[in-house]
Amino acid sequence: MKIFTSIISVVAAAVLACSCQQGAYPVYFLVQDANTVTDAALSTSAKHIVRYKGVTYTRMPIMSLQHFERFKSHINPDGSYGVTLFAKKEWRNRLYFNTMDKSGMLMLPIVNNLAMEPMRIAPVNDGALVIWNGLNGYDLRMISRTVKPINPELEKKRYKKENPRPIPKAPRNVKSQTRDFTGRTVGELFN
């Protein structure tokens, strides 16, 4: 009976430990919606989109943090950090073909549900994707839980335990029911 109780305790502890693990830190990349470039009236398929600074992006990210294996950060003159993410081998072709197909459009990095500075897409053939600025030490620490740092000693010096960034609030003058050309509600992203 004692052995059975011990086994049940171990199994329960393992299940509890697994259920408490957090998922990957939310870092992903949205691409400008093609309907903002071409005539929206010609499109036959409706897409879920979001808007950021007047530009619409598809809600389906082309890449997220789980697609990367290594990262390195750099510090900007304004004190924020940027990060270069290196894709896993099995995802490099996906990154290349997505960026080649969408060349010239905008890509919007989202980090912990905050929009960063959009960037113009150019084909990425080396598997490296860069978020140029706007990150803090907490972001780097959380990214390192999913993606290995290239230089762990340097990165650990930059980490922060708490997120110093305040949670953004939507401006008061924003229409809450903006709609796309199909009539679906378009969410607004703010930072």
Side-chain angles (χ1 to χ4, degrees):
M1 186 68 164
K2 289 182 181 181
I3 295 174
F4 180 72
T5 306
S6 298
I7 292 172
I8 294 297
S9 298
V10 170
V11 170
V15 168
L16 183 61
C18 290
S19 66
C20 292
Q21 289 180 351
Q22 296 177 349
Y25 194 59
V27 176
Y28 52 93
F29 298 86
L30 303 180
V31 177
Q32 183 178 4
D33 186 60
N35 294 319
T36 61
V37 177
T38 62
D39 184 6
L42 297 177
S43 177
T44 57
S45 64
K47 293 183 180 178
H48 294 284
I49 58 175
V50 293
R51 186 168 312 193
Y52 179 70
K53 294 187 178 181
V55 179
T56 55
Y57 297 87
T58 59
R59 269 187 213 184
M60 187 65 193
I62 64 164
M63 299 291 279
S64 64
L65 203 55
Q66 68 183 3
H67 298 111
F68 297 94
E69 63 182 350
R70 297 177 298 136
F71 81 95
K72 67 178 178 178
S73 66
H74 62 272
I75 191 162
N76 292 303
D78 67 358
S80 71
Y81 294 106
V83 69
T84 304
L85 296 163
F86 297 93
K88 295 177 181 174
K89 284 186 178 184
E90 61 267 24
W91 296 106
R92 288 182 188 161
N93 281 340
R94 175 183 177 174
L95 179 60
Y96 173 71
F97 287 116
N98 272 305
T99 54
M100 187 175 73
D101 185 45
K102 313 273 190 222
S103 186
M105 299 174 92
L106 293 175
M107 183 183 298
L108 182 67
I110 306 289
V111 177
N112 197 19
N113 300 318
L114 294 175
M116 297 293 142
E117 188 65 30
M119 52 191 159
R120 189 73 53 195
I121 298 175
V124 176
N125 57 8
D126 61 356
L129 206 53
V130 180
I131 300 173
W132 291 104
N133 56 24
L135 302 177
N136 59 39
Y138 178 78
D139 296 321
L140 297 179
R141 181 173 155 260
M142 296 307 287
I143 288 170
S144 73
R145 290 182 171 182
T146 304
V147 182
K148 294 179 184 176
I150 289 176
N151 187 347
E153 295 81 26
L154 174 66
E155 298 302 337
K156 285 182 183 178
K157 293 177 184 176
R158 297 178 173 175
Y159 294 166
K160 291 192 185 225
K161 291 185 179 185
E162 301 294 323
N163 189 357
R165 185 184 297 122
I167 297 172
K169 294 183 180 177
R172 294 180 186 200
N173 60 353
V174 174
K175 296 177 186 176
S176 61
Q177 294 298 319
T178 306
R179 303 212 176 257
D180 69 0
F181 68 95
T182 65
R184 293 184 177 171
T185 304
V186 176
E188 291 280 345
L189 298 176
F190 306 100
N191 64 354

